[in-house]
Amino acid sequence: MRVDFFRHDLGPQNAEAVAKVLGTPFLTTGSVCKAVEADLATHFGRKHALTVNSWTNGAAATLMAMDIGPGHEVIVPAMTFIATSNVVELVGAKPVFVDVEPETLLMTADAVKAALTPKTRAVIPVHLYGQMVDIGAIRALLAKCGRSDVKIIEDCAHCFEGRFDGQRPGTNSDAAIFSFYATKNVTCGEGGAIITDDSDLFAKIQQTRMHGMSAGAADRFKTGQYRHWDMARMGMKANLPDLLACLLPPQIATIDQRLTVREKLAQRYEVALAQTPIKFQRILPKRLHARHLFVIHVPLAVRDDVLTFMGTKEIGCTVNYRLVPTLTFYTTKYGYKPEQFPVSADWGAGTLSLPFYPSMPEDAQSYVIDTLLKDVIPMIEKAAK
Ligand SMILES: *Cc1c(COP(=O)(O)O)cnc(C)c1O
């Protein structure tokens, strides 16, 4: 049986929304994005939301709007996708990697405290796999250190649905950024969004996401009368087209229902694999997990053999993630070593992600579980001897 790693839920049912945009004279950022932004602001209970064409470009535009660049440092976790640190490089600042907490694999306030320097301008905590970092604790730590100037930008690429103590992302940070990339829980192929309560930051990101222009195309032509625009700050091209944004509203409306399905699938994996040497991310109390990925950890000596073996069984698996600071670019530029990040190094060398998506058939999941129990557990046991 062939089991895909991921399948999206979009289909012919979305064609009408696309056709509607095609029928208007305006394909890029316009009324559809505006409506999605209003939706998102309401959904998350924040003052402002801005759509962008990726998490990566949204985060870079946010850092630019915060005037973060050369000479500055931004604290990021060592266990994440490369985009989290790449955006810091993109604006010319230095990513300062910190190790994560062993059970949850999340960034902690203590780690932030140890990495703070006078050059620190921001922290980008990552809600890894869908479990939220304690942003309130990082906020409190920064205040205690007299560093309330340090911005907190939440990487919510895995965490549209998650909550911490009932609160959604964006509650305690300066900005929270989502990804609508092809495999994310809410997707339009490529895209993202930024939410914030900071009206000044919102106004600046409106410019940095659009070349630094003082007015976007939709606004420039609004009155039917051409108006000149200015460029007061440097910007980039990070706006989302209506053509893609039109795929989002039905997904946002049903996201919490689909989480129930994800939760059920995740629990089925967890129960089936509970009495085995396979390890999982621990989920702490007060957290509602967004269940973006289902990730396991096996002994480092067998991880790559397990990946190869799953491939021969036509089971799509991937790795989220290997240790970022020791990838060639970062280790060459900054000399980072794996010993500096023992938890992330170990997790990165033993982790693999199993097929996981709401429409996953029960027999497909059974096949993955049976393969793990029948063939992979013996591989692990043999390696332990
Ligand atoms: C997917 C992902 C990103 C990047 O999202 P894009 O929309 O592809 O730019 C950033 N951070 C994490 C943790 C991700 O998984």
Side-chain angles (χ1 to χ4, degrees), residues 117 176 234 263 293 310 318 354:
T117 79
M234 187 56 198
E263 182 60 37
L293 294 166
M310 297 297 263
T318 183
L354 301 178

Side-chain angles (χ1 to χ4, degrees), residues 53-57 80-81 83-84 126 155 157-158 178-181 184 190-192 292 321:
N53 55 12
S54 68
W55 183 97
T56 302
N57 284 341
T80 184
F81 181 56
T84 313
V126 177
D155 181 338
H158 296 182
F178 301 90
S179 170
F180 304 141
Y181 174 69
K184 301 291 158 73
E190 298 283 358
H292 171 52
Y321 300 94

Side-chain angles (χ1 to χ4, degrees), residues 105-347:
L105 309 159
L106 299 176
M107 181 191 262
T108 62
D110 283 343
V112 171
K113 187 177 177 187
L116 271 180
T117 79
K119 293 178 179 171
T120 309
R121 290 295 177 277
V123 184
I124 311 183
V126 177
H127 302 315
L128 194 72
Y129 309 144
Q131 176 167 214
M132 281 182 72
V133 172
D134 187 347
I135 303 294
I138 295 177
R139 179 62 90 199
L141 173 271
L142 290 173
K144 204 172 130 207
C145 298
R147 293 302 307 275
S148 294
D149 60 305
V150 173
K151 305 288 187 195
I152 302 176
I153 303 168
E154 292 173 75
D155 181 338
C156 300
H158 296 182
C159 196
F160 196 95
E161 308 90 323
R163 318 251 184 115
F164 183 96
D165 214 0
Q167 293 185 317
R168 292 185 184 273
T171 307
N172 287 307
S173 60
D174 294 278
I177 308 179
F178 301 90
S179 170
F180 304 141
Y181 174 69
T183 57
K184 301 291 158 73
N185 289 14
V186 173
T187 181
C188 57
E190 298 283 358
I194 304 158
I195 55 172
T196 181
D197 275 342
D198 182 339
S199 300
D200 178 55
L201 179 67
F202 169 72
K204 285 177 177 157
I205 301 174
Q206 274 185 306
Q207 298 186 359
T208 57
R209 82 164 173 181
M210 196 62 180
H211 308 292
M213 291 165 87
S214 55
D219 294 324
R220 291 201 306 278
F221 295 104
K222 205 158 56 185
T223 58
Q225 182 75 45
Y226 183 82
R227 284 188 304 161
H228 288 300
W229 45 266
D230 189 19
M231 178 190 152
R233 54 165 54 241
M234 187 56 198
M236 49 187 291
K237 190 67 165 52
N239 60 304
L240 184 71
D242 276 7
L243 210 42
L244 292 178
C246 70
L247 300 171
L248 297 169
Q251 296 179 64
I252 297 169
T254 56
I255 188 68
D256 288 333
Q257 284 150 251
R258 282 184 296 136
L259 178 59
T260 313
V261 182
R262 288 181 174 274
E263 182 60 37
K264 238 173 97 181
L265 284 167
Q267 288 191 12
R268 184 153 179 249
Y269 270 138
E270 283 176 355
V271 169
L273 303 173
Q275 309 303 323
T276 74
I278 288 174
K279 290 193 279 185
F280 317 107
Q281 177 189 42
R282 178 159 170 231
I283 303 175
L284 296 179
K286 298 203 283 189
R287 262 80 158 188
L288 178 72
H289 199 293
R291 298 297 195 178
H292 171 52
L293 294 166
F294 193 84
V295 180
I296 64 171
H297 183 275
V298 299
L300 319 194
V302 295
R303 195 271 306 274
D304 288 354
D305 293 342
V306 173
L307 274 173
T308 307
F309 177 77
M310 297 297 263
T312 66
K313 293 285 174 186
E314 296 193 299
I315 297 172
C317 289
T318 183
V319 172
N320 305 96
Y321 300 94
R322 288 159 71 219
L323 182 63
V324 174
T326 54
L327 295 175
T328 302
F329 173 84
Y330 287 110
T331 194
T332 305
K333 182 160 181 180
Y334 298 110
Y336 286 120
K337 302 214 161 36
E339 305 84 74
Q340 294 172 264
F341 315 97
V343 177
S344 303
D346 175 88
W347 186 263

